[in-house]
Amino acid sequence: MRTCALIAIFYFISIINLTAAELDWIQVSQDGKSFVTAKEQTPFVPWGFNYDHDREGQLLEDYWNTDWKTIEQDFAEMKQLGANVVRIHIQFGKFMAAPDQPRAAALKKLGELLKLAEHTGLYLDLTGLGCYHKQDVPGWYDQLSDAERWQAQANFWSAVAKQCANSPAIFCYDLMNEPVVHGGKKKGTDWLGPGFAGKHFVQRITLSPDERPRPEIAAAWIKMLVDAIRKQDQRHLITVGLVPWSLERPGLQSGFVPDKISQHLDFICVHLYPEKGKVKEALETLKGFDVGKPLVIEETFPLKSSPQEFEEFLLKSKKHADGWIGFYWGQTREEYEKGKTIRDAIMAGWLKFFEENGRQFKEQH
């Protein structure tokens, strides 16, 4: 009995070590148009999930100290579904006790997550500076001036990059989820955009009016955070998650115009949800983000379209996109198939499509 147990332990350890050893670093290809592994220079196409909350709507930091087993199970499930990238969202307030004081415990937990990713054979799209739960935003953070807030954000990324610098499991650092440059002539009153499903996904990087063009401000902010990361980590890729209304078009604009802010980024990310009857329009928007660097659709889902239109969009998006990241919320396809709601049916269909079509997307280059 004891011998069998020891054999099982050694086998488990060997599998873990094998997976970790096979996880090569990811970089942009020499022609600057796609991703490749560093050692073998083989094509790498991001195909994965936003692991932004669990089945109860909790953020990762809400349960990673108390329910680590669930995270291990979820990573294994995402891997089994064919994912190679998992997008993780971490909040500023959970990682910074003061503008220049990182929380050691949170960084240590992030280190454990890196090890789990290495052992599972998954890469992380690490998205930072989150303020998704308004109750988790420190009061002192909201009181900072634009310049002080930028410096605090640079301190956040410096600490996170130092923690992650030596791990091949990082696919990229995403500076912020859906940033916006203040566009009014009067001082803004709220750093966060309107709430959606109990969370705040859009965040302003400025509140004070500024004479500079908004894309120039966005580029300066990106450069400051990239410089902070590069002092700790010269190797991992850097991007930022852009809303579709970042393009210079009539109406609402974020200020983060892709071709005007891309010089400091390794690749471009866009969050794009096709709408019913508007697949062609979504593809045209996607084309606007294709500015000569690799392009990843970092968020997408049949939120506003039928499953059939969504699948059409994904298949046709291969003309421009070099990676796709959907959603996984801690439930298996089988669990969703047993559900009775429309949401359950949509998620079951999405996971089925993801599992069955992963190969054709990952092997497109």
Side-chain angles (χ1 to χ4, degrees):
M1 178 74 74
R2 185 177 179 182
T3 301
C4 291
L6 287 173
I7 291 174
I9 291 172
F10 284 128
Y11 175 75
F12 179 70
I13 291 173
S14 69
I15 291 297
I16 285 179
N17 289 335
L18 179 63
T19 303
E22 290 178 345
L23 205 58
D24 195 3
W25 294 69
I26 303 300
Q27 62 186 38
V28 174
S29 60
Q30 289 188 354
D31 64 7
K33 297 180 179 179
S34 60
F35 304 103
V36 294
T37 58
K39 186 181 295 184
E40 302 294 335
Q41 293 290 298
T42 56
F44 177 82
V45 177
W47 179 251
F49 297 109
N50 279 270
Y51 185 55
D52 55 330
H53 62 75
D54 67 0
R55 64 181 67 193
E56 305 298 330
Q58 295 184 107
L59 298 176
L60 179 63
E61 300 142 339
D62 294 332
Y63 59 93
W64 70 355
N65 286 316
T66 58
D67 196 7
W68 190 256
K69 184 177 180 180
T70 291
I71 298 173
E72 292 177 329
Q73 292 172 343
D74 288 346
F75 267 59
E77 171 66 14
M78 288 186 281
K79 178 69 174 180
Q80 185 177 0
L81 285 166
N84 56 22
V85 170
V86 176
R87 187 177 180 220
I88 299 297
H89 303 249
I90 56 178
Q91 294 192 104
F92 178 90
K94 294 291 188 178
F95 275 76
M96 299 296 289
D100 59 352
Q101 185 180 335
R103 297 183 187 274
L107 290 170
K108 180 181 178 182
K109 205 67 186 178
L110 178 58
E112 294 176 21
L113 192 70
L114 291 174
K115 293 298 182 184
L116 174 61
E118 291 173 9
H119 294 167
T120 312
L122 289 168
Y123 292 93
L124 299 183
D125 171 341
L126 187 60
T127 301
L129 299 177
C131 291
Y132 303 118
H133 286 173
K134 206 164 189 175
Q135 66 269 24
D136 293 335
V137 179
W140 55 261
Y141 187 43
D142 282 344
Q143 298 304 312
L144 299 178
S145 66
D146 292 5
E148 291 169 338
R149 192 172 174 100
W150 285 24
Q151 185 58 59
Q153 292 169 347
N155 293 339
F156 167 98
W157 272 117
S158 177
V160 169
K162 184 177 181 180
Q163 179 69 47
C164 300
N166 296 320
S167 174
I170 293 291
F171 164 58
C172 71
Y173 301 123
D174 179 339
L175 300 177
M176 181 185 283
N177 185 76
E178 302 180 353
V180 173
V181 180
H182 179 61
K185 295 182 179 180
K186 296 182 179 180
K187 185 177 177 64
T189 58
D190 196 342
W191 292 102
L192 305 182
F196 176 78
K199 295 177 174 58
H200 295 264
F201 297 104
V202 175
Q203 188 174 166
R204 296 177 180 87
I205 64 167
T206 56
L207 286 184
S208 301
D210 195 312
E211 293 298 324
R212 293 175 296 172
R214 293 172 75 203
E216 184 178 324
I217 299 170
W221 176 80
I222 289 172
K223 183 179 185 304
M224 182 172 179
L225 300 191
V226 169
D227 287 346
I229 290 173
R230 289 298 177 227
K231 289 178 181 178
Q232 306 291 343
D233 182 349
Q234 294 79 44
R235 196 166 184 181
H236 287 120
L237 304 178
I238 302 175
T239 190
V240 65
L242 303 178
V243 289
W245 34 280
S246 295
L247 301 178
E248 289 184 304
R249 292 176 171 177
L252 194 64
Q253 296 180 18
S254 73
F256 281 75
V257 183
D259 61 351
K260 295 182 179 179
I261 55 97
S262 64
Q263 66 267 37
H264 304 302
L265 301 173
D266 294 298
F267 65 98
I268 301 295
C269 277
V270 62
H271 302 170
L272 194 51
Y273 300 79
E275 297 183 18
K276 183 178 180 181
K278 297 182 178 181
V279 171
K280 184 178 180 180
E281 288 86 342
L283 292 168
E284 192 64 26
T285 295
L286 179 64
K287 181 181 178 181
F289 287 83
D290 193 355
V291 295
K293 291 193 173 185
L295 173 59
V296 173
I297 302 177
E298 193 181 39
E299 284 187 20
T300 192
F301 193 71
L303 183 67
K304 304 175 182 179
S305 68
S306 68
Q308 293 75 22
E309 288 175 308
F310 179 66
E311 292 177 12
E312 178 189 355
F313 165 73
L314 286 183
L315 291 168
K316 290 183 177 179
S317 72
K318 292 195 290 182
K319 181 178 179 180
H320 298 288
D322 302 287
W324 297 262
I325 304 178
F327 287 87
Y328 171 87
W329 293 315
Q331 287 183 256
T332 66
R333 172 181 159 188
E334 290 71 25
E335 288 176 312
Y336 282 119
E337 288 174 343
K338 294 177 182 178
K340 299 179 181 180
T341 67
I342 295 177
R343 178 180 180 274
D344 290 333
I346 291 173
M347 279 300 297
W350 154 242
L351 293 179
K352 181 176 186 290
F353 178 89
F354 184 93
E355 186 173 17
E356 294 180 352
N357 292 274
R359 175 170 291 183
Q360 70 159 307
F361 280 86
K362 287 185 286 187
E363 295 180 353
Q364 71 162 337
H365 290 284

